[in-house]
Amino acid sequence: MHDSGSEYRHCVAAGSAFFPLAFGGMPDMAMAAEAAPLNYFLHSDGPASLPTMHLGWVFTAVVVAVLAIIALLLAGALFRKRTLAAPRTVGRENEGMRWIYIGTGLSTAALFALAVYMLITLDKVAQPTQTPALAVTVTAYDWWWKVEYDDDDPSRRFVTANEIHIPVGRPVRVRLQSADVIHAFWAPRLAGKTQMIPGLQNRQWLQADAEGIYRGQCVQFCGLQHAHMGFEIVAQSPVAFQAWQDAQRKAAAPASEPDAAAGRKFFIEQCAGCHSVRGTDAGGKHAPDLTHLNSRRMLAAGLLTNTAEHRIEWITRVQALKPGARMPAFALTPGETAALSAFLSTLD
Amino acid sequence: MKDAVETPPDRTLARIPEVGSAPIGSDAERYLSELWESPPGWRGWLSTVDHKEIGLRYLVTSFIFLLIGGVEALIMRVQLAGPDRHLLTPEQYNQLFTMHGITMIFLYALPVLSGFSNYLWPLMLGSRDMAFPRLNALSYWLFLFAGLFLYASFPLGEGANAGWFNYVPLSGPEYNTGPNIDVYALGMVLLGISTTVGAVNFIVTLFRMRAPGMSIDKVPILVWGTLTASVANLFAVPSVSLAFFLLWLDRQNGTHFFDPLNGGKPMLWQHLFWMFGHPWVYVIVLPAMGIVSDALPTFCRRPLVGYAAVALSTMATMLLGFGVWIHHMFATGLPALAISFFGATSLAISIPSAVAVFAWIATIWLGRPVFQTPFLFFAGFVLLFVIGGLSGVMTAAVPLDLQLNDTYFVVAHLHYVLLGINVFPVIGGVYYWFPKFCGRMMNETWGKWSFWVLFIGFNLGFFPMHVAGLLGMPRRIYTYAPNMGWNTVNLITSIGSFVFAAGVLIFLANIAVSLKRGALAPQNPWDAPTLEWAVPSPPPPYNFAVIPLIASRHPLWEDRLDAAEGRSNLQTGYLLMDGRETLGTTALDAVPDVILKMPDDTYAPFFLALFSSLGFAGLLLDWNRFTFLMTAAAGLSLVAWMWPRQKLVQRVPGVSRVTEAGRG
């Protein structure tokens, strides 16, 4: 049944189709040109991630080269010209071992070099070279982030949520813990990820070399709203960072305007069980601290931009926007809407 | 004709078996058929212990699970085809991806390989059945019932929903109050029993059931792969069974193994799970690599290059595979020094894989490839294997993995490994052995179409996932915002997944049509070298009319290989027809050692599996009295199973030394 001539034709016919397909799935790097805030492969903005990005490039280059070599060998093996032989003959058993010796030898050498490079890189990114400028404690909750700025002086400590400000060009120590299930803290353009495991405190460090806003994301499956658990890191000049810290340490300004005062009353009645606003009676600990809500760019752990409309939309439609979130949706009368909106606008 | 076995049968045999031949149609052959045939109808269906029947059931059942898992994947791909889509609620999505993982990894990937091994081992090894035929039936029934158990709550909207690796405390009593995780935990313990008894059966079969002369260096690579996987299972499965049992105790009995508020350790779960989980990866790929190592040479018209190297690399992979579980846990905050060892080991594990890859390429290079459908799958597999292996090298680099981990890059990697190294060889294997299974050839034209559609769909669907991962897309998110840069890659992935599904449909249609109308298959349609092709297609119930005498790795190519090897004898050999009998041989050299009395068909395994599974259902539902009753019933089934029978006595005292010398 095996006529060699027809086999050969098979080879040719299959060959014309096989070759392009072997590479049919190669990535179109142009796609990366879309704005992709978590793209760590082409962008790194600090010394905790830069060596890793270079490592990624080298590994990718080696891997693509190996793939190309193997694909060529395979194609050559499949389609090389062969002398005609009687159809029933079979090859000898004990030949071809050189393929294995050479192939495995070269692979081992390459892997050894990669391993050494990997260990050097690990050493570079494991610890900062200078002492961190500050320590931030981030606690993950279902599905948001509490951010605590420590200070030796207790009166200078403060709490915020979902937005971490850091001074540019200085290493920052981040202590990571969880209030419920396992989450993972990941700001890929600044550093690799670390899990936040209940009962443990993990640590990592990061540093931003340029001012800007860096997106972060929970990257360990943590339940219903794992998809909507983002955060932002805002890297500022030391002066701006100092100003931001000073502003955050203040309590909320008193709401003098009547609408805002009514809104504050509503807030303390309805929201204070979970939320805190320093300087008011709202002292809840289960949900983001809202003292300086309007200083933040985003709402709901990166889901919505922080505008007056979005704030009300969030309060009234939270379960539609983020189903399963721990916050219940509130049905507000127009009067309550106006009052609450006015109060929230005072939280600068 | 030179006899393969020079030594006379061991003196300890109960009697010196008659040597002869039993050609098809002879009286002896008809008598053997009667002895080994299962009764017709439902009685035979529930009571058969024939490894071929059980193997086919494994294959069909696991393929049905593959289709269910595939449909789950397609639904998820519709949801993810574009940003902010709301086809599924988050809870539905979480259950879908969890059940997809459980289904593919536990209910498809290993059982399908067990199906091949169950069907093929005795045929490849020259035996009439597995070592423990009733245990074999038990392992199938337990697998089926565990699969049904794991799916029982899914139609009610209460399926497992914490991901297949089910991290605590998300899967613990506090954050998962429904029955979802209890079903998963108990189902996994039940499935673990099936896997364990199956593994024991494979190991004993290999060491005791080979045809005389088939020394350990002459077994097919598939046998090495399944042996290695089975030994690994004996070490790995207890870890996961324990983990799930402790979790169930935490959930239902107030223990605190994983509860951080009471001194429990969530990290304990990760260690226990991955000490199992990583070896499991090799459990579900090594036998599939064995399929390729055995079947690829048939289409290259030459023996595999580097048999010993490939067999050793199989075992080396597994040994290293037990030392790399931490690479799933690089991001847990373990010290850099500790994880650097595991990163280096994870790189080193590519070395045995390189051995196999170069052996396959050399086999093709030095051979004369015949481009039939199975060959396309095996050649395509080599490329996919390399891609999956290389992306694995990237994830082994610790700092890089701290970026790649839990992104779509890992999803891409694991699908290249599991589809590339499991599904492609499996489908190729079905095309290859279908004639043996069913006695009919599959259609070549449809076969080639199915390969190309599957191959294109696979790469179109899964390659862009690497890019999505490099663009930062996390795993297990039910939706994503339009401004993340992931829209295009996800659309391509979704299209690719449907192309792949179309390929599966072509394959299934080919099976359906070929079952009815395929050309009748001869004994050895591919001119293959191994023993399973020496029996009719499909094989008779007794497999081998006479136990063959084996002298080489390629009994059917001996007249053509110019190596000065001995000649196997497949026509005359031990007849062994005093009841269901086969030959037990020594572990390494395969010298005849004992005449094995094989058990008849029996309902005991079915009932033992049924009552055990119902007992687990009782535990799930907290029906204590019911659980107790079912345990008692399972015990009775065991008594029936173990009841001593005169005709199963292996050695009759006083009779063994009567005959003086063998005839050999």
Side-chain angles (χ1 to χ4, degrees), chain A residues 1 11 21 25 27 34 40 80 82 88-93 95 180 186 188 193 195 202 219-220 225, chain B residues 175 270 301-303 331-332 364-365 367-368 371 402-403 405-406 463 467 469 478 488 525 553 560:
Chain A
M1 79 187 264
C11 300
L21 287 164
E34 294 175 28
Y40 55 87
R80 77 192 181 94
R82 291 169 166 89
R88 271 177 57 81
T89 47
V90 293
R92 285 192 306 278
E93 172 137 36
E95 59 178 8
D180 36 54
W186 190 41
K193 63 183 68 70
Q195 285 185 10
N202 272 333
V219 73
Q220 175 66 50
Q225 281 303 326
Chain B
Y175 299 97
Q270 296 198 26
R301 320 303 311 144
R302 59 156 295 117
T332 54
I364 301 174
W365 186 284
R368 292 179 296 112
F371 286 82
L402 294 176
Q403 298 285 22
N405 182 255
D406 260 310
F463 204 93
V467 181
Y478 74 98
T488 318
R553 276 175 214 147
R560 287 174 270 164

Short mmCIF file of all heavy atoms in Angstrom, two decimals, chain A residues 1 11 21 25 27 34 40 80 82 88-93 95 180 186 188 193 195 202 219-220 225, chain B residues 175 270 301-303 331-332 364-365 367-368 371 402-403 405-406 463 467 469 478 488 525 553 560:
data_model
loop_
_atom_site.label_atom_id
_atom_site.label_comp_id
_atom_site.label_asym_id
_atom_site.label_seq_id
_atom_site.Cartn_x
_atom_site.Cartn_y
_atom_site.Cartn_z
N MET A 1 0.82 -1.22 0.00
CA MET A 1 0.00 0.00 0.00
C MET A 1 0.85 1.27 0.00
O MET A 1 0.34 2.35 -0.17
CB MET A 1 -0.99 -0.02 1.16
CG MET A 1 -0.41 0.35 2.51
SD MET A 1 -1.62 0.08 3.81
CE MET A 1 -2.32 1.71 3.97
N CYS A 11 4.35 14.36 0.13
CA CYS A 11 5.26 15.25 0.84
C CYS A 11 5.18 16.65 0.26
O CYS A 11 5.06 17.63 0.98
CB CYS A 11 6.71 14.78 0.73
SG CYS A 11 6.95 13.15 1.39
N LEU A 21 1.98 27.59 7.94
CA LEU A 21 1.16 27.38 9.12
C LEU A 21 1.99 27.15 10.36
O LEU A 21 1.56 27.44 11.47
CB LEU A 21 0.25 26.17 8.89
CG LEU A 21 -0.84 26.56 7.92
CD1 LEU A 21 -1.51 25.34 7.37
CD2 LEU A 21 -1.83 27.47 8.60
N GLY A 25 0.81 31.30 13.93
CA GLY A 25 0.32 31.96 15.12
C GLY A 25 1.25 33.01 15.69
O GLY A 25 1.08 33.45 16.80
N PRO A 27 2.96 36.28 16.98
CA PRO A 27 2.25 37.47 17.43
C PRO A 27 2.47 38.65 16.50
O PRO A 27 3.54 38.82 15.96
CB PRO A 27 2.88 37.74 18.80
CG PRO A 27 4.24 37.14 18.71
CD PRO A 27 4.13 35.95 17.80
N GLU A 34 -1.64 49.41 20.68
CA GLU A 34 -2.81 49.94 21.37
C GLU A 34 -2.39 50.31 22.78
O GLU A 34 -1.53 49.67 23.36
CB GLU A 34 -3.89 48.86 21.48
CG GLU A 34 -4.49 48.42 20.17
CD GLU A 34 -5.45 47.25 20.39
OE1 GLU A 34 -6.02 47.15 21.49
OE2 GLU A 34 -5.60 46.45 19.48
N TYR A 40 3.84 45.12 30.42
CA TYR A 40 5.13 45.11 31.08
C TYR A 40 6.22 44.60 30.15
O TYR A 40 7.39 44.60 30.51
CB TYR A 40 5.08 44.21 32.32
CG TYR A 40 4.60 42.81 32.01
CD1 TYR A 40 5.49 41.84 31.60
CD2 TYR A 40 3.25 42.49 32.07
CE1 TYR A 40 5.06 40.57 31.26
CE2 TYR A 40 2.81 41.22 31.75
CZ TYR A 40 3.72 40.27 31.34
OH TYR A 40 3.28 39.01 31.00
N ARG A 80 12.82 16.75 3.22
CA ARG A 80 14.08 16.60 2.51
C ARG A 80 13.93 15.47 1.48
O ARG A 80 13.13 14.54 1.64
CB ARG A 80 15.23 16.32 3.46
CG ARG A 80 15.29 14.91 3.97
CD ARG A 80 16.26 14.79 5.12
NE ARG A 80 16.32 13.42 5.57
CZ ARG A 80 17.24 12.54 5.15
NH1 ARG A 80 18.15 12.90 4.26
NH2 ARG A 80 17.23 11.30 5.60
N ARG A 82 14.62 12.24 -0.53
CA ARG A 82 15.12 10.94 -0.12
C ARG A 82 15.30 10.05 -1.33
O ARG A 82 14.57 10.17 -2.31
CB ARG A 82 14.12 10.29 0.84
CG ARG A 82 14.07 11.01 2.16
CD ARG A 82 12.92 10.54 3.00
NE ARG A 82 13.08 10.99 4.39
CZ ARG A 82 12.64 12.14 4.87
NH1 ARG A 82 12.01 12.99 4.07
NH2 ARG A 82 12.83 12.47 6.12
N ARG A 88 8.90 -1.75 1.64
CA ARG A 88 8.83 -2.51 2.89
C ARG A 88 10.10 -2.38 3.75
O ARG A 88 10.13 -2.87 4.87
CB ARG A 88 8.55 -3.98 2.60
CG ARG A 88 7.04 -4.28 2.54
CD ARG A 88 6.76 -5.72 2.17
NE ARG A 88 7.38 -6.67 3.10
CZ ARG A 88 6.87 -7.01 4.28
NH1 ARG A 88 5.76 -6.47 4.70
NH2 ARG A 88 7.49 -7.89 5.04
N THR A 89 11.13 -1.69 3.22
CA THR A 89 12.33 -1.60 4.02
C THR A 89 12.11 -0.68 5.21
O THR A 89 11.34 0.28 5.14
CB THR A 89 13.51 -1.03 3.23
OG1 THR A 89 13.03 0.11 2.54
CG2 THR A 89 14.10 -2.03 2.28
N VAL A 90 12.79 -0.97 6.30
CA VAL A 90 12.76 -0.07 7.44
C VAL A 90 14.20 0.27 7.82
O VAL A 90 15.12 -0.49 7.54
CB VAL A 90 12.02 -0.69 8.65
CG1 VAL A 90 10.56 -0.86 8.35
CG2 VAL A 90 12.65 -2.01 9.04
N GLY A 91 14.35 1.44 8.47
CA GLY A 91 15.69 1.92 8.83
C GLY A 91 16.31 1.10 9.95
O GLY A 91 15.65 0.28 10.58
N ARG A 92 17.60 1.37 10.18
CA ARG A 92 18.31 0.65 11.23
C ARG A 92 17.97 1.24 12.59
O ARG A 92 17.71 2.42 12.73
CB ARG A 92 19.82 0.71 10.99
CG ARG A 92 20.29 -0.20 9.87
CD ARG A 92 21.80 -0.31 9.87
NE ARG A 92 22.44 1.00 9.82
CZ ARG A 92 22.64 1.69 8.68
NH1 ARG A 92 22.24 1.17 7.54
NH2 ARG A 92 23.22 2.86 8.70
N GLU A 93 18.05 0.39 13.61
CA GLU A 93 17.66 0.83 14.94
C GLU A 93 18.70 1.75 15.58
O GLU A 93 18.36 2.76 16.17
CB GLU A 93 17.42 -0.38 15.83
CG GLU A 93 17.20 0.02 17.28
CD GLU A 93 16.06 -0.72 17.95
OE1 GLU A 93 15.90 -1.90 17.63
OE2 GLU A 93 15.35 -0.10 18.75
N GLU A 95 20.98 4.04 14.93
CA GLU A 95 21.65 5.19 14.32
C GLU A 95 20.94 6.45 14.78
O GLU A 95 19.85 6.39 15.35
CB GLU A 95 21.64 5.08 12.80
CG GLU A 95 20.26 5.01 12.23
CD GLU A 95 20.24 4.95 10.71
OE1 GLU A 95 21.32 4.82 10.11
OE2 GLU A 95 19.15 5.04 10.15
N ASP A 180 -9.24 39.15 53.72
CA ASP A 180 -10.19 38.05 53.52
C ASP A 180 -9.56 36.87 52.80
O ASP A 180 -9.08 35.95 53.43
CB ASP A 180 -11.45 38.56 52.80
CG ASP A 180 -11.15 39.64 51.77
OD1 ASP A 180 -10.29 39.38 50.90
OD2 ASP A 180 -11.75 40.73 51.82
N TRP A 186 -0.11 43.81 41.97
CA TRP A 186 0.67 43.80 40.73
C TRP A 186 0.56 45.14 40.01
O TRP A 186 -0.50 45.49 39.51
CB TRP A 186 0.15 42.67 39.81
CG TRP A 186 1.01 42.40 38.61
CD1 TRP A 186 2.35 42.35 38.55
CD2 TRP A 186 0.54 42.10 37.29
NE1 TRP A 186 2.77 42.02 37.28
CE2 TRP A 186 1.68 41.87 36.49
CE3 TRP A 186 -0.73 41.99 36.71
CZ2 TRP A 186 1.59 41.55 35.13
CZ3 TRP A 186 -0.83 41.67 35.37
CH2 TRP A 186 0.33 41.45 34.59
N PRO A 188 2.52 46.11 37.04
CA PRO A 188 3.54 45.42 36.23
C PRO A 188 4.62 46.32 35.66
O PRO A 188 5.73 45.86 35.43
CB PRO A 188 2.73 44.75 35.13
CG PRO A 188 1.40 45.40 35.15
CD PRO A 188 1.17 45.90 36.53
N LYS A 193 4.61 40.68 40.67
CA LYS A 193 3.48 40.56 41.59
C LYS A 193 3.86 39.80 42.85
O LYS A 193 4.82 39.03 42.88
CB LYS A 193 2.33 39.84 40.90
CG LYS A 193 2.67 38.42 40.49
CD LYS A 193 1.52 37.77 39.75
CE LYS A 193 1.24 38.36 38.41
NZ LYS A 193 2.26 38.09 37.38
N GLN A 195 1.69 37.77 46.15
CA GLN A 195 0.39 37.40 46.72
C GLN A 195 0.21 38.04 48.08
O GLN A 195 1.17 38.29 48.81
CB GLN A 195 0.28 35.87 46.87
CG GLN A 195 0.04 35.17 45.56
CD GLN A 195 -0.20 33.67 45.74
OE1 GLN A 195 -0.37 33.17 46.84
NE2 GLN A 195 -0.21 32.96 44.63
N ASN A 202 3.41 39.90 53.47
CA ASN A 202 4.45 39.83 52.45
C ASN A 202 4.99 41.22 52.19
O ASN A 202 4.37 42.23 52.55
CB ASN A 202 3.90 39.24 51.15
CG ASN A 202 4.01 37.73 51.16
OD1 ASN A 202 4.89 37.18 51.83
ND2 ASN A 202 3.14 37.07 50.44
N VAL A 219 -4.25 40.10 40.69
CA VAL A 219 -3.98 39.11 39.67
C VAL A 219 -4.01 37.70 40.26
O VAL A 219 -3.51 36.76 39.68
CB VAL A 219 -2.66 39.47 38.93
CG1 VAL A 219 -1.47 39.20 39.82
CG2 VAL A 219 -2.55 38.80 37.58
N GLN A 220 -4.64 37.57 41.42
CA GLN A 220 -4.91 36.23 41.94
C GLN A 220 -6.42 36.12 42.09
O GLN A 220 -7.04 36.96 42.74
CB GLN A 220 -4.23 36.05 43.30
CG GLN A 220 -4.55 34.72 43.98
CD GLN A 220 -3.99 33.56 43.21
OE1 GLN A 220 -2.83 33.54 42.85
NE2 GLN A 220 -4.85 32.59 42.90
N GLN A 225 -15.69 39.57 41.89
CA GLN A 225 -15.28 40.80 41.22
C GLN A 225 -13.76 40.90 41.07
O GLN A 225 -13.20 42.00 41.05
CB GLN A 225 -15.87 42.01 41.95
CG GLN A 225 -17.33 42.22 41.60
CD GLN A 225 -17.56 42.38 40.11
OE1 GLN A 225 -16.72 42.95 39.40
NE2 GLN A 225 -18.67 41.88 39.60
N TYR B 175 -16.02 31.90 52.92
CA TYR B 175 -16.26 32.64 51.68
C TYR B 175 -16.98 31.82 50.64
O TYR B 175 -17.24 32.28 49.55
CB TYR B 175 -14.93 33.16 51.13
CG TYR B 175 -14.26 34.09 52.11
CD1 TYR B 175 -13.27 33.65 52.96
CD2 TYR B 175 -14.71 35.41 52.22
CE1 TYR B 175 -12.71 34.50 53.90
CE2 TYR B 175 -14.15 36.26 53.15
CZ TYR B 175 -13.15 35.81 53.99
OH TYR B 175 -12.61 36.65 54.91
N GLN B 270 -1.64 25.43 49.22
CA GLN B 270 -0.88 25.60 47.97
C GLN B 270 0.20 24.54 47.85
O GLN B 270 0.42 23.97 46.78
CB GLN B 270 -0.26 27.00 47.92
CG GLN B 270 -1.31 28.12 47.87
CD GLN B 270 -0.73 29.44 47.38
OE1 GLN B 270 0.25 29.47 46.65
NE2 GLN B 270 -1.37 30.54 47.74
N ARG B 301 8.81 4.69 8.87
CA ARG B 301 9.40 3.45 8.35
C ARG B 301 10.76 3.17 8.96
O ARG B 301 11.68 2.76 8.27
CB ARG B 301 9.51 3.48 6.81
CG ARG B 301 8.36 4.08 6.05
CD ARG B 301 7.04 3.44 6.31
NE ARG B 301 7.07 1.98 6.21
CZ ARG B 301 6.37 1.18 6.99
NH1 ARG B 301 5.61 1.67 7.95
NH2 ARG B 301 6.44 -0.12 6.84
N ARG B 302 10.89 3.42 10.24
CA ARG B 302 12.12 3.07 10.91
C ARG B 302 11.85 3.06 12.43
O ARG B 302 10.92 3.70 12.89
CB ARG B 302 13.25 4.06 10.62
CG ARG B 302 12.96 5.51 11.03
CD ARG B 302 14.23 6.28 11.27
NE ARG B 302 14.93 5.71 12.41
CZ ARG B 302 16.12 5.16 12.34
NH1 ARG B 302 16.79 5.13 11.23
NH2 ARG B 302 16.70 4.63 13.43
N PRO B 303 12.69 2.34 13.19
CA PRO B 303 12.50 2.36 14.65
C PRO B 303 12.79 3.75 15.21
O PRO B 303 13.50 4.55 14.58
CB PRO B 303 13.53 1.35 15.16
CG PRO B 303 13.91 0.54 13.96
CD PRO B 303 13.75 1.42 12.78
N ALA B 331 5.15 33.69 43.47
CA ALA B 331 4.64 34.98 43.91
C ALA B 331 4.10 34.94 45.34
O ALA B 331 3.43 35.87 45.77
CB ALA B 331 3.55 35.47 42.96
N THR B 332 4.35 33.86 46.07
CA THR B 332 3.76 33.78 47.41
C THR B 332 4.62 34.43 48.47
O THR B 332 4.30 34.36 49.65
CB THR B 332 3.51 32.32 47.83
OG1 THR B 332 4.75 31.61 47.70
CG2 THR B 332 2.46 31.68 46.96
N ILE B 364 12.19 11.23 12.19
CA ILE B 364 11.58 11.66 10.92
C ILE B 364 12.68 11.86 9.87
O ILE B 364 12.55 11.44 8.72
CB ILE B 364 10.79 12.97 11.13
CG1 ILE B 364 9.69 12.77 12.17
CG2 ILE B 364 10.18 13.44 9.81
CD1 ILE B 364 8.96 14.05 12.54
N TRP B 365 13.76 12.53 10.30
CA TRP B 365 14.84 12.86 9.36
C TRP B 365 15.42 11.60 8.72
O TRP B 365 15.61 11.52 7.51
CB TRP B 365 15.93 13.63 10.10
CG TRP B 365 17.02 14.14 9.22
CD1 TRP B 365 18.03 13.42 8.66
CD2 TRP B 365 17.19 15.48 8.74
NE1 TRP B 365 18.83 14.21 7.89
CE2 TRP B 365 18.35 15.49 7.92
CE3 TRP B 365 16.50 16.68 8.94
CZ2 TRP B 365 18.82 16.65 7.30
CZ3 TRP B 365 16.98 17.84 8.32
CH2 TRP B 365 18.11 17.81 7.51
N GLY B 367 14.09 8.71 8.64
CA GLY B 367 13.09 7.79 8.10
C GLY B 367 12.56 8.26 6.76
O GLY B 367 13.13 9.16 6.14
N ARG B 368 11.50 7.63 6.31
CA ARG B 368 10.85 8.03 5.06
C ARG B 368 9.39 8.28 5.37
O ARG B 368 8.55 7.38 5.27
CB ARG B 368 11.01 6.94 4.00
CG ARG B 368 12.47 6.78 3.54
CD ARG B 368 12.62 5.69 2.51
NE ARG B 368 12.27 4.39 3.05
CZ ARG B 368 11.22 3.67 2.70
NH1 ARG B 368 10.39 4.14 1.80
NH2 ARG B 368 10.99 2.52 3.25
N PHE B 371 2.80 10.50 4.74
CA PHE B 371 1.92 11.56 5.25
C PHE B 371 0.48 11.10 5.37
O PHE B 371 -0.40 11.61 4.68
CB PHE B 371 2.04 12.82 4.38
CG PHE B 371 3.33 13.55 4.61
CD1 PHE B 371 4.50 13.12 3.99
CD2 PHE B 371 3.39 14.62 5.47
CE1 PHE B 371 5.70 13.78 4.21
CE2 PHE B 371 4.59 15.29 5.69
CZ PHE B 371 5.74 14.86 5.07
N LEU B 402 7.32 36.34 37.80
CA LEU B 402 6.59 37.24 38.68
C LEU B 402 5.76 38.23 37.86
O LEU B 402 4.82 38.84 38.37
CB LEU B 402 7.55 37.99 39.60
CG LEU B 402 8.27 37.08 40.61
CD1 LEU B 402 9.27 37.86 41.43
CD2 LEU B 402 7.25 36.38 41.53
N GLN B 403 6.09 38.38 36.59
CA GLN B 403 5.22 39.13 35.69
C GLN B 403 4.22 38.19 35.01
O GLN B 403 3.03 38.47 34.93
CB GLN B 403 6.03 39.86 34.60
CG GLN B 403 7.00 40.90 35.13
CD GLN B 403 6.33 42.18 35.59
OE1 GLN B 403 5.15 42.20 35.92
NE2 GLN B 403 7.08 43.27 35.64
N ASN B 405 3.13 35.12 35.70
CA ASN B 405 2.25 34.30 36.52
C ASN B 405 0.85 34.87 36.62
O ASN B 405 0.67 36.07 36.81
CB ASN B 405 2.88 34.19 37.92
CG ASN B 405 2.07 33.30 38.83
OD1 ASN B 405 1.38 33.78 39.71
ND2 ASN B 405 2.12 32.02 38.62
N ASP B 406 -0.14 33.98 36.48
CA ASP B 406 -1.54 34.38 36.58
C ASP B 406 -2.00 35.35 35.51
O ASP B 406 -3.02 36.03 35.65
CB ASP B 406 -1.87 34.93 37.97
CG ASP B 406 -2.55 33.86 38.82
OD1 ASP B 406 -3.51 33.25 38.34
OD2 ASP B 406 -2.11 33.65 39.96
N PHE B 463 -2.31 31.00 20.35
CA PHE B 463 -1.08 31.79 20.30
C PHE B 463 -1.31 33.23 20.76
O PHE B 463 -0.51 33.77 21.53
CB PHE B 463 -0.41 31.74 18.93
CG PHE B 463 1.06 32.04 19.04
CD1 PHE B 463 1.98 31.02 19.18
CD2 PHE B 463 1.51 33.35 19.09
CE1 PHE B 463 3.33 31.29 19.36
CE2 PHE B 463 2.85 33.63 19.27
CZ PHE B 463 3.76 32.61 19.40
N VAL B 467 0.25 36.84 23.76
CA VAL B 467 0.33 38.29 23.61
C VAL B 467 -0.57 38.96 24.66
O VAL B 467 -0.16 39.93 25.31
CB VAL B 467 -0.07 38.70 22.19
CG1 VAL B 467 0.02 40.20 22.02
CG2 VAL B 467 0.83 37.99 21.18
N GLY B 469 -1.24 37.91 27.49
CA GLY B 469 -0.54 37.84 28.78
C GLY B 469 0.56 38.87 28.88
O GLY B 469 0.74 39.51 29.91
N TYR B 478 -13.91 37.86 34.28
CA TYR B 478 -15.09 37.55 33.47
C TYR B 478 -15.34 38.60 32.41
O TYR B 478 -16.11 38.39 31.49
CB TYR B 478 -16.32 37.35 34.37
CG TYR B 478 -16.90 38.62 34.96
CD1 TYR B 478 -18.00 39.25 34.38
CD2 TYR B 478 -16.35 39.17 36.11
CE1 TYR B 478 -18.52 40.41 34.93
CE2 TYR B 478 -16.87 40.33 36.66
CZ TYR B 478 -17.96 40.94 36.07
OH TYR B 478 -18.47 42.09 36.61
N THR B 488 -8.29 43.18 20.47
CA THR B 488 -8.00 42.46 19.24
C THR B 488 -7.58 41.02 19.54
O THR B 488 -8.09 40.08 18.92
CB THR B 488 -6.85 43.16 18.48
OG1 THR B 488 -7.09 44.55 18.55
CG2 THR B 488 -6.78 42.69 17.06
N PRO B 525 -2.89 -2.52 9.33
CA PRO B 525 -3.07 -1.62 8.18
C PRO B 525 -1.92 -0.65 7.97
O PRO B 525 -1.70 -0.20 6.84
CB PRO B 525 -4.35 -0.86 8.52
CG PRO B 525 -4.49 -0.97 10.01
CD PRO B 525 -3.88 -2.28 10.38
N ARG B 553 12.21 -5.55 20.06
CA ARG B 553 11.25 -4.46 20.25
C ARG B 553 10.26 -4.37 19.09
O ARG B 553 9.25 -3.70 19.19
CB ARG B 553 11.99 -3.13 20.33
CG ARG B 553 12.51 -2.82 21.69
CD ARG B 553 13.33 -1.54 21.65
NE ARG B 553 14.41 -1.68 22.62
CZ ARG B 553 15.61 -1.16 22.49
NH1 ARG B 553 15.90 -0.43 21.43
NH2 ARG B 553 16.51 -1.35 23.41
N ARG B 560 12.82 -7.57 8.49
CA ARG B 560 13.33 -6.47 7.66
C ARG B 560 14.43 -5.67 8.33
O ARG B 560 15.16 -4.93 7.68
CB ARG B 560 12.19 -5.54 7.29
CG ARG B 560 11.27 -6.16 6.25
CD ARG B 560 10.09 -5.29 6.02
NE ARG B 560 9.00 -5.62 6.92
CZ ARG B 560 7.96 -4.83 7.13
NH1 ARG B 560 7.91 -3.65 6.55
NH2 ARG B 560 7.00 -5.20 7.91
#
